[in-house]
Amino acid sequence: MKFHILTLFPEMFAGPLSTSIIGRGVESGLLGFELYNIRDYALDRHRTVDDAPYGGGAGMVMKVEPLTACLEEATRNAPGARVLLASPRGTPLTQKMAAELATEREIVVVCGRYEGIDERVRELFSAVEFSIGDYVLTGGELAAMVLVDAVGRLVPGVLGSSESAEDESFSAGLLEYPHYTRPPEFRGLKVPEVLLSGNHKEIARWRRTQALLKTSRIRPSLLETADLTGEDLRVLQELEQGGAR
Ligand code: ADE
């Protein structure tokens, strides 16, 4: 899968795209990146990419012409690709959205800066805005990196077999259960006995209960859409009645 990323700060991407799992995905040819510096598409000799907003107010708006020229090149290189726009007012990025995007052959991601980008860019390219959370970043670069990481790791083959995405938080609609590794006791804190028991059925049951417990405490709204069994509902009822294990 190839990501076409439009930014004023391409240098920001060097670390995340060359490190760890995503870096390995690039090396193995499963992931590809093309970075476009929006400033290279400015029309004047000062290479201006922003201007004051019509209607007044603070901040600067990214100009329509350089971004359009840059997007025209990116969409020429990636015909038919979806165009995404990092923005705090976008649709919240979810695991489901990441999994859907991971099936695309190419996507184009625009990183906004300043107060925003000229709205006509979004209209011209039917760009879909996405947000990585209810807070405002100085620009869309970090959001684009989050998207690349969340999507890239779901591209088949990018995760090794020991790094399976099947069992993790959100893939089942719940927060994940707690993890432990050796030693069995550290500073008086013991690993839950059941995990040392070798009883796989009991381990699975404990993990499911812990996932339900964590989700109901930290993100109860996830329970409304999670895929819950009758046994899950019984466990949740028990937890509500104060029977937390
Ligand atoms: N740009 C600035 N803030 C952002 C956010 N929360 N998500 C995506 N892009 C952004």
Side-chain angles (χ1 to χ4, degrees):
M1 162 163 207
K2 189 161 177 186
F3 296 86
H4 297 257
I5 300 171
L6 285 64
T7 169
L8 286 169
F9 302 98
E11 66 279 8
M12 280 179 76
F13 288 82
L17 299 191
S18 62
T19 309
S20 184
I21 291 169
I22 300 300
R24 213 174 56 206
V26 174
E27 258 173 44
S28 65
L30 291 167
L31 301 177
F33 293 95
E34 187 147 348
L35 289 160
Y36 302 75
N37 189 336
I38 298 164
R39 200 172 292 281
D40 292 344
Y41 298 82
L43 301 176
D44 62 332
R45 69 187 175 88
H46 298 296
R47 306 219 296 161
T48 308
V49 289
D50 62 323
D51 205 341
Y54 275 124
M60 300 289 268
V61 176
M62 282 175 78
K63 287 170 69 61
V64 66
E65 305 97 318
L67 253 177
T68 296
C70 191
L71 263 166
E72 276 170 352
E73 176 154 347
T75 51
R76 241 192 329 269
N77 293 340
R82 284 213 246 174
V83 177
L84 300 175
L85 193 57
S87 159
R89 66 173 196 193
T91 308
L93 177 65
T94 59
Q95 188 67 18
K96 183 164 173 264
M97 191 168 152
E100 278 164 16
L101 289 170
T103 66
E104 300 276 335
R105 222 168 51 80
E106 304 193 83
I107 53 174
V108 176
V109 187
V110 182
C111 307
R113 277 264 145 181
Y114 309 109
E115 298 310 292
I117 70 171
D118 192 302
E119 185 68 12
R120 289 167 290 187
V121 174
R122 194 184 56 73
E123 287 176 38
L124 282 169
F125 294 89
S126 306
V128 173
E129 291 174 297
F130 74 96
S131 163
I132 61 160
D134 290 339
Y135 39 80
V136 180
L137 303 165
T138 53
E141 282 75 12
L142 288 169
M145 289 179 218
V146 167
L147 178 100
V148 161
D149 195 277
V151 173
R153 66 192 288 283
L154 296 179
V155 170
V158 170
L159 286 184
S161 54
S162 64
E163 302 156 340
S164 162
E166 262 166 43
D167 217 20
E168 62 197 9
S169 286
F170 300 116
S171 59
L174 296 175
L175 300 186
E176 214 183 345
Y177 51 80
H179 299 275
Y180 297 90
T181 185
R182 278 176 285 217
E185 185 174 340
F186 182 70
R187 298 196 179 167
L189 297 173
K190 288 189 174 141
V191 173
E193 202 69 46
V194 60
L195 297 179
L196 312 176
S197 69
N199 184 334
H200 296 292
K201 207 168 147 216
E202 277 304 307
I203 291 170
R205 224 160 71 96
W206 179 86
R207 285 179 167 166
R208 187 74 183 176
T209 301
Q210 292 298 315
L212 290 166
L213 181 60
K214 224 176 184 43
T215 309
S216 69
R217 279 192 186 150
I218 295 168
R219 297 285 304 279
S221 65
L222 291 176
L223 294 173
E224 289 159 26
T225 48
D227 207 1
L228 300 178
T229 64
E231 171 68 5
D232 290 337
L233 294 171
R234 198 191 57 70
V235 169
L236 280 169
Q237 207 169 20
E238 211 176 283
L239 292 174
E240 248 168 53
Q241 288 159 4
R245 286 179 256 184

